[in-house]
């Protein structure tokens, strides 16, 4: 399990999109179980004044979708990040993972931003995510 996290960190370190690029900072992440998968809860802080763009997520053994929910959720190809923003089950922008997740399980994720990649390890919580 720790091997996957080390692999994700190495992938992040060597896969930046440009020499001066810096991926946003990610807070401690949690996955909230939902119907058919889990919802990622994390705070993303852009390192640039101009913000950044979340373009995708890599997770071993899970399908992922970026959603924009206003009022109904629809799949989008990217999520704009300005300053500091929360991604979660009650926010306009959400990241959902399809698959089976058990409470307490650790899941390694790599988030792909225009400014580079960022790795985070999320713990699956016991509470169910709120989804409309």
């Amino acid at each position: 399990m720790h091997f996957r996290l080390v692999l994700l960190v190495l992938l992040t370190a060597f896969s930046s999109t440009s020499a001066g690029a810096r991926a946003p900072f990610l807070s401690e992440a949690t996955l909230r179980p939902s119907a058919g998968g889990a919802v990622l809860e994390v705070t993303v802080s852009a390192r640039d004044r101009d913000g950044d763009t979340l373009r995708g997520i890599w997770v071993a053994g899970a399908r992922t979708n970026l959603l924009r929910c206003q009022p109904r959720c629809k799949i989008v190809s990217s999520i704009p990040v300005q300053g500091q923003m929360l991604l979660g089950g009650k926010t306009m922008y959400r990241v959902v993972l399809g698959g089976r997740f058990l409470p307490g399980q650790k899941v390694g994720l790599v988030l792909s931003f225009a400014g580079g990649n960022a790795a985070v390890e999320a713990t699956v919580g016991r509470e169910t995510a709120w989804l409309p």
Side-chain angles (χ1 to χ4, degrees):
M1 181 170 352
H2 293 293
F3 173 76
R4 288 184 190 153
L5 183 58
V6 170
L7 181 62
L8 291 175
V9 170
L10 290 174
L11 175 64
T12 300
F14 294 108
S15 61
S16 181
T17 55
S18 67
R22 293 180 354 143
F25 173 77
L26 304 174
S27 69
E28 184 175 327
T30 304
L31 289 172
R32 298 284 178 219
S34 66
V39 176
L40 176 65
E41 291 185 354
V42 67
T43 300
V44 181
S45 301
R47 295 187 192 234
D48 260 341
R49 284 191 331 236
D50 299 330
D52 208 331
T53 304
L54 176 60
R55 300 185 304 187
I57 297 184
W58 299 308
V59 181
R63 301 172 313 280
T64 62
N65 283 316
L66 306 177
L67 301 178
R68 182 173 187 266
C69 301
Q70 189 185 27
R72 294 181 183 230
C73 294
K74 68 177 185 175
I75 297 173
V76 295
S77 60
S78 64
I79 294 175
V81 177
Q82 292 294 325
Q84 187 175 43
M85 82 181 286
L86 175 67
L87 297 173
K90 296 182 180 180
T91 62
M92 181 188 322
Y93 290 103
R94 303 173 190 173
V95 176
V96 295
L97 288 70
R100 183 175 174 173
F101 301 95
L102 303 172
Q105 178 182 354
K106 304 282 187 193
V107 179
L109 304 107
V110 175
L111 285 74
S112 174
F113 293 92
N117 296 331
V120 67
E121 184 178 66
T123 303
V124 178
R126 298 192 188 292
E127 305 86 32
T128 301
W130 180 86
L131 296 173

